[in-house]
C-alpha cells in the first residue's frame, strides 16, 4: 500500500493541492470582499468552465491552437533534430551557423509577429512559424550536444568494426543522443504552444489566444478564467504525450529504468 | 592473486609444449620499427620507442609493464585505432595502413576487447553481440543464432534479451568478449579486459579465455598489470619498460596447455613470477 501511494503520489497530491489553492482563493475573496469583475470565486470559474465545455466556440478554438502548435512543433522537431545532427557532425558548419541560430532566439518575437502578419496575413501560418522558431532552438541545441557527447569507448567499438559514417550515426550517435533529444522535445512542445498562443493573442482571428482577447473585450472574467483552465489542461496533455515518448523510445535509459525499479519493491 | 592450494595436483610443467609458438605459417602481427609520439600543446609525448615484434599464428602474447609504459598504445596501433608515427604494422601479412586509410581485409581479422565492456546501453545483450555481424550485413536470424551460441560459449545464457545495465560487470565483459568473437576474428586484442573484476571472477575468466583460445585457434595479444595472470595465460610475455615504452625482455612460458589454476602454486610458476617481479621493480 505504501509503495502504491509512493508510486502514484502525483495522483493524490495534485488534486489535493488544487483544492487547497481553491480554498485559499475563495477565502481571499470572501475576507477582502473582492469584486467578481476582478476575480471570480473558484466555484464560479468551475461552473463557467463547464458551461464553456458545451460551447462549440471553445472546441473550434482548441482545435485551431492544437493544430498550430503541433504543426509548428513538427517543423521544429525536423529542423532541430536534422540541423542539430548535421551541425554536430560538421564542425565548420556549426561555427558558421551559430550566430544565426542565436539571432533567431534573441530577436524579440513580438517584432517578428508584426512582420509575419504583414507578409502572411492573419491566418494560421504566421502562428505556426512563431511556434517553430520558438521550439526548434532547444531541440537543436540538445541534439547537437547529444550527438557530440558520444562515449569515446563506444566510438572505439565502431571504429574497430570499421563502420562507415552513416552506420555510426545510425547505430551509435543517434540512439546515444536520443535522451537529450527527448529532453529538447519536452521543452520544445511547451514553447511551440506558447508561440502559437502569443501569435493568436497579438494577431489572431481564431484559437484559444484569440478567445481570451474576445472575453477580455467583453469583460467576461469568468469566461476568461474558463479559457485559461482549458489552456492549462490542453498544454498539460500535449506535454505529457511527449514525456510518454520516453518509455517508448528510450526504455533502456536511466530516467525510465529508475522509475521501473521503484515498482516491484515490497 | 591466491589460488586454492593443494586441492589439485598442479598440471605437470613440461618443456614439450603441445602448441609451439609461431610454429605455423608465418606471423599474424608484425610491428616493424613502430614508434608513437603524441602531439600535445606543449610539444610531444614519446609514448612508444622504435619497437619490433612478431606475433606468431595461434600464439598467446601478453604485454606486461608498469602503468603508462605504452601497452594500450601498442595495442591500439595493432588494432588500427591509432596510426603509428613511424614504422609499419602488418596484420596477416598485409600492411594495416595505406596512407591514412586502413586495410579493410586486415581489419576483418581483428577483434578487440577493451578494459570497459563498452556495450551499447540501448541494445539488448544479443543485439550487442550481433552488432559486428549486422554491420557485415549478415541476416537477422543468422546473426541472432550466432549471438545465442556465443552466449552459451561465454556463459551468459538466459540474459540474451536483457539490457547491459541489468548485468554484472563480469557478465558484461563476457558479452563484450562474445561480441569480439562474433565474426570469428583470427586475432583477438584484449586490453586489461578483466582489470575491473574481483580475483575469483578473474581466475574464472582467465580459464575461459584459455579455453576459447584453444578451441577457436585464434591469436591473442593480451594486456595486463598482473604478473600471475600473465604467466598463467601466456606463450610469451613481453615485458615493457616505461617512458618511452620499449621491449625490455621476452619470457617464454612453456607450461603445457590447457593450464588449470592449481599450476599457480607450483614452484616453477612462482619462480617465473618472482623473477618478472624483480625485473619490474628494477625498472623503478
Ligand atoms: N591521446 C594521448 N595524448 C597524449 N599522450 C598520450 C595519449 N595516449 C597515451 N598517452 C601517453 O602515452 C603513454 C603511454 O600510455 P598508455 O595508455 O599506452 O599506457 P599503458 O601502458 O596502457 O598504461 P596503463 O597500464 O595505466 O593503462 C602515457 O605516458 C600517456 O600519458
Ligand atoms: Mg592501458
Amino acid at each position: 500500500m505504501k509503495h502504491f501511494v509512493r508510486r502514484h503520489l502525483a495522483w493524490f497530491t495534485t488534486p489535493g493541492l488544487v483544492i487547497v489553492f481553491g480554498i485559499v482563493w475563495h477565502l481571499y475573496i470572501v475576507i477582502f470582499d473582492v469584486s467578481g469583475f476582478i476575480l471570480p470565486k473558484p466555484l464560479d470559474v468551475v461552473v463557467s468552465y463547464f458551461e464553456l465545455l458545451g460551447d462549440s466556440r471553445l472546441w473550434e478554438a482548441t482545435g485551431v491552437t492544437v493544430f498550430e502548435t503541433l504543426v509548428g512543433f513538427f517543423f521544429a522537431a525536423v529542423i532541430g533534430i536534422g540541423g542539430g545532427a548535421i551541425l554536430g557532425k560538421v564542425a565548420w558548419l556549426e561555427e558558421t551557423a551559430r550566430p544565426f541560430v542565436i539571432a533567431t532566439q534573441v530577436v524579440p518575437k513580438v517584432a517578428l509577429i508584426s512582420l509575419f502578419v504583414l507578409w502572411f496575413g492573419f491566418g494560421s501560418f504566421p502562428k505556426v512559424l512563431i511556434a517553430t522558431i520558438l521550439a526548434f532552438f532547444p531541440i537543436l541545441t540538445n541534439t547537437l550536444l547529444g550527438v557530440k557527447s558520444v562515449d569515446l569507448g563506444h566510438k572505439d567499438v565502431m571504429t574497430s568494426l570499421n563502420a562507415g559514417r552513416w552506420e555510426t550515426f545510425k547505430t551509435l550517435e543517434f540512439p546515444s543522443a536520443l535522451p537529450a533529444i527527448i529532453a529538447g522535445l519536452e521543452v520544445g512542445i511547451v514553447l511551440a504552444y506558447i508561440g502559437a498562443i502569443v501569435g493568436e493573442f497579438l494577431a489572431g482571428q481564431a484559437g484559444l489566444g484569440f478567445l481570451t482577447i474576445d472575453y477580455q473585450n467583453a469583460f467576461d472574467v469568468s469566461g476568461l478564467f474558463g479559457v485559461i483552465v482549458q489552456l492549462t489542461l490542453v498544454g498539460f496533455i500535449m506535454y505529457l504525450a511527449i514525456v510518454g515518448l520516453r518509455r517508448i523510445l528510450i526504455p533502456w535509459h536511466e530516467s525510465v529504468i529508475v522509475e521501473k525499479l521503484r515498482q516491484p519493491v515490497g | 592473486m591466491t589460488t586454492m592450494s593443494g586441492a589439485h595436483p598442479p598440471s605437470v610443467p613440461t618443456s614439450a609444449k603441445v602448441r609451439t609458438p609461431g610454429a605455423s605459417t608465418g606471423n599474424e602481427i608484425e610491428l616493424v620499427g613502430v614508434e608513437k609520439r603524441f602531439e600535445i600543446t606543449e610539444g610531444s609525448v614519446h609514448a612508444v620507442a622504435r619497437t619490433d615484434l612478431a606475433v606468431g599464428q595461434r600464439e598467446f602474447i601478453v604485454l606486461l609493464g608498469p602503468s603508462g609504459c605504452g601497452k594500450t598504445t601498442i595495442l591500439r596501433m595493432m588494432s588500427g585505432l591509432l596510426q603509428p608515427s613511424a614504422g609499419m604494422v602488418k596484420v596477416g601479412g598485409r600492411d594495416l595502413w595505406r596512407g591514412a586509410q586502413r586495410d579493410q581485409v586486415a581489419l576483418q581479422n581483428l577483434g578487440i576487447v577493451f578494459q570497459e565492456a563498452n556495450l551499447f546501453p540501448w541494445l539488448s545483450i544479443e543485439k550487442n553481440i550481433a552488432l559486428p555481424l549486422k554491420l557485415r550485413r549478415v541476416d537477422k536470424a543468422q546473426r541472432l543464432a550466432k549471438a545465442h551460441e556465443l552466449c552459451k560459449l561465454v556463459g551468459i545464457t538466459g540474459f540474451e534479451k536483457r539490457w547491459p545495465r541489468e548485468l554484472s560487470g563480469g557478465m558484461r565483459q563476457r558479452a563484450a568478449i562474445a561480441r569480439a568473437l562474433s565474426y570469428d576474428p583470427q586475432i583477438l586484442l584484449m586490453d586489461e579486459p578483466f582489470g575491473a573484476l574481483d580475483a575469483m571472477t578473474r581466475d574464472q575468466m582467465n580459464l575461459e579465455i584459455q579455453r576459447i583460445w584453444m578451441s577457436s585457434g585464434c591469436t591473442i595479444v593480451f594486456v595486463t598489470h598482473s604478473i600471475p595472470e600473465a604467466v598463467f595465460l601466456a606463450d610469451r610475455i613481453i615485458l615493457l619498460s616505461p617512458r618511452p615504452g620499449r621491449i625490455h625482455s621476452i619470457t617464454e612460458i612453456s607450461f603445457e596447455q590447457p593450464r588449470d589454476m592449481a599450476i599457480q602454486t607450483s614452484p616453477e610458476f612462482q619462480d617465473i613470477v618472482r623473477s618478472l617481479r624483480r625485473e619490474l621493480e628494477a625498472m623503478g
Side-chain angles (χ1 to χ4, degrees):
Chain A
M1 180 59 200
K2 202 175 139 205
H3 293 292
F4 179 83
V5 173
R6 178 86 188 76
R7 191 170 142 60
H8 299 278
L9 195 61
W11 294 104
F12 300 97
T13 51
T14 309
L17 288 174
V18 168
I19 289 168
V20 169
F21 180 71
I23 291 170
V24 171
W25 175 357
H26 185 86
L27 289 177
Y28 172 75
I29 290 168
V30 173
I31 293 166
F32 294 96
D33 194 22
V34 181
S35 150
F37 282 113
I38 306 297
L39 187 64
K41 293 194 177 112
L43 275 181
D44 294 344
V45 170
V46 172
V47 169
S48 73
Y49 178 63
F50 278 105
E51 274 170 18
L52 210 59
L53 285 180
D55 187 343
S56 66
R57 281 215 312 159
L58 179 79
W59 294 108
E60 274 163 36
T62 305
V64 168
T65 303
V66 168
F67 171 79
E68 289 164 355
T69 305
L70 292 183
V71 174
F73 176 71
F74 172 78
F75 285 119
V78 170
I79 296 168
I81 297 174
I86 292 168
L87 297 189
K89 294 302 296 168
V90 190
W92 65 267
L93 251 183
E94 192 202 344
E95 300 267 317
T96 315
R98 193 182 297 138
F100 299 98
V101 172
I102 294 170
T104 63
Q105 296 310 299
V106 292
V107 65
K109 253 51 102 200
V110 181
L112 281 184
I113 292 174
S114 317
L115 197 61
F116 291 162
V117 168
L118 266 181
W119 288 346
F120 308 114
F122 289 86
S124 271
F125 183 65
K127 284 87 179 179
V128 169
L129 215 53
I130 290 293
T132 303
I133 289 175
L134 269 180
F136 91 94
F137 186 69
I139 303 174
L140 185 134
T141 47
N142 272 29
T143 307
L144 185 75
L145 184 73
V147 167
K148 283 174 85 174
S149 26
V150 170
D151 184 273
L152 287 180
H154 290 163
K155 262 194 187 149
D156 278 349
V157 170
M158 293 307 279
T159 313
S160 73
L161 293 173
N162 201 21
R165 263 181 159 226
W166 170 242
E167 275 169 333
T168 305
F169 180 76
K170 220 171 43 172
T171 30
L172 173 58
E173 279 149 349
F174 185 71
S176 140
L178 252 184
I181 293 175
I182 292 176
L185 293 177
E186 285 169 7
V187 180
I189 188 74
V190 172
L191 290 180
Y193 190 46
I194 291 173
I197 292 164
V198 170
E200 291 164 357
F201 211 80
L202 294 175
Q205 290 173 318
L208 289 170
F210 173 72
L211 207 57
T212 53
I213 298 288
D214 219 30
Y215 280 108
Q216 182 195 337
N217 292 341
F219 292 103
D220 183 347
V221 180
S222 292
L224 196 54
F225 268 91
V227 178
I228 290 171
V229 172
Q230 176 76 350
L231 276 170
T232 311
L233 291 178
V234 169
F236 235 110
I237 289 167
M238 286 198 286
Y239 176 74
L240 288 181
I242 300 298
V243 171
L245 280 181
R246 262 178 199 283
R247 284 164 178 277
I248 299 165
L249 294 180
I250 51 169
W252 52 272
H253 193 250
E254 287 87 343
S255 62
V256 177
I257 291 196
V258 168
E259 262 178 58
K260 261 175 39 188
L261 287 181
R262 256 199 229 150
Q263 235 168 45
V265 184
Chain B
M1 191 153 65
T2 52
T3 50
M4 40 240 150
S5 57
H8 308 281
S11 57
V12 196
T14 54
S15 47
K17 268 175 42 70
V18 177
R19 309 164 48 114
T20 20
S24 29
T25 51
N27 294 316
E28 209 56 319
I29 305 178
E30 272 178 84
L31 304 183
V32 185
V34 162
E35 189 173 0
K36 184 67 198 179
R37 290 171 191 276
F38 289 106
E39 303 305 328
I40 55 172
T41 38
E42 316 87 46
S44 77
V45 180
H46 198 185
V48 177
R50 287 181 66 89
T51 299
D52 297 288
L53 178 67
V55 180
Q57 240 171 33
R58 316 189 64 160
E59 203 179 3
F60 201 127
I61 289 281
V62 173
L63 300 178
L64 184 68
S67 188
C69 72
K71 303 183 294 294
T72 297
T73 306
I74 290 178
L75 207 74
R76 288 174 74 84
M77 287 195 289
M78 287 178 171
S79 69
L81 286 173
L82 201 62
Q83 190 167 20
S85 319
M88 215 163 48
V89 181
K90 286 189 166 195
V91 175
R94 304 174 68 98
D95 277 354
L96 186 53
W97 291 92
R98 226 176 289 127
Q101 292 293 313
R102 301 180 300 168
D103 185 275
Q104 308 288 315
V105 180
L107 284 174
Q108 301 274 318
N109 292 332
L110 291 166
I112 310 178
V113 181
F114 301 91
Q115 178 156 12
E116 279 93 41
N118 286 339
L119 300 174
F120 294 178
W122 51 87
L123 296 180
S124 62
I125 292 298
E126 61 181 7
K127 287 193 175 151
N128 264 292
I129 295 173
L131 176 68
L133 296 177
K134 188 179 182 196
L135 294 175
R136 274 152 221 255
R137 312 228 142 65
V138 175
D139 75 57
K140 190 164 182 175
Q142 219 176 323
R143 61 178 194 252
L144 288 182
K146 178 80 182 180
H148 294 168
E149 195 184 299
L150 284 163
C151 280
K152 209 161 142 196
L153 179 76
V154 301
I156 49 170
T157 313
F159 291 86
E160 292 88 347
K161 310 262 183 236
R162 300 291 195 84
W163 302 118
R165 57 175 301 134
E166 297 174 303
L167 272 62
S168 73
M171 291 162 96
R172 262 179 267 170
Q173 204 53 271
R174 286 164 198 258
I177 293 170
R179 177 178 61 190
L181 291 173
S182 65
Y183 50 101
D184 302 311
Q186 281 148 35
I187 302 164
L188 205 52
L189 306 172
M190 309 181 89
D191 190 357
E192 298 189 46
F194 311 134
L197 304 184
D198 63 280
M200 288 266 280
T201 316
R202 195 165 175 163
D203 283 353
Q204 204 186 335
M205 296 298 291
N206 282 335
L207 280 170
E208 274 179 48
I209 220 52
Q210 179 179 249
R211 180 171 58 78
I212 289 166
W213 169 63
M214 295 195 75
S215 62
S216 69
C218 63
T219 306
I220 295 186
V221 180
F222 189 103
V223 167
T224 184
H225 275 125
S226 156
I227 301 173
E229 183 172 79
V231 179
F232 179 75
L233 288 171
D235 282 326
R236 283 194 294 160
I237 296 174
I238 316 291
L239 187 63
L240 299 168
S241 61
R243 246 164 255 122
R246 56 162 52 91
I247 296 179
H248 179 82
S249 70
I250 298 182
T251 311
E252 295 221 8
I253 311 292
S254 47
F255 300 116
E256 192 181 326
Q257 283 145 334
R259 302 163 186 167
D260 63 35
M261 280 301 148
I263 201 179
Q264 301 198 5
T265 54
S266 75
E268 292 90 336
F269 188 98
Q270 289 174 351
D271 278 348
I272 301 172
V273 170
R274 214 170 300 127
S275 90
L276 282 168
R277 180 157 291 136
R278 260 200 302 275
E279 269 191 78
L280 262 170
E281 277 162 5
M283 287 189 297

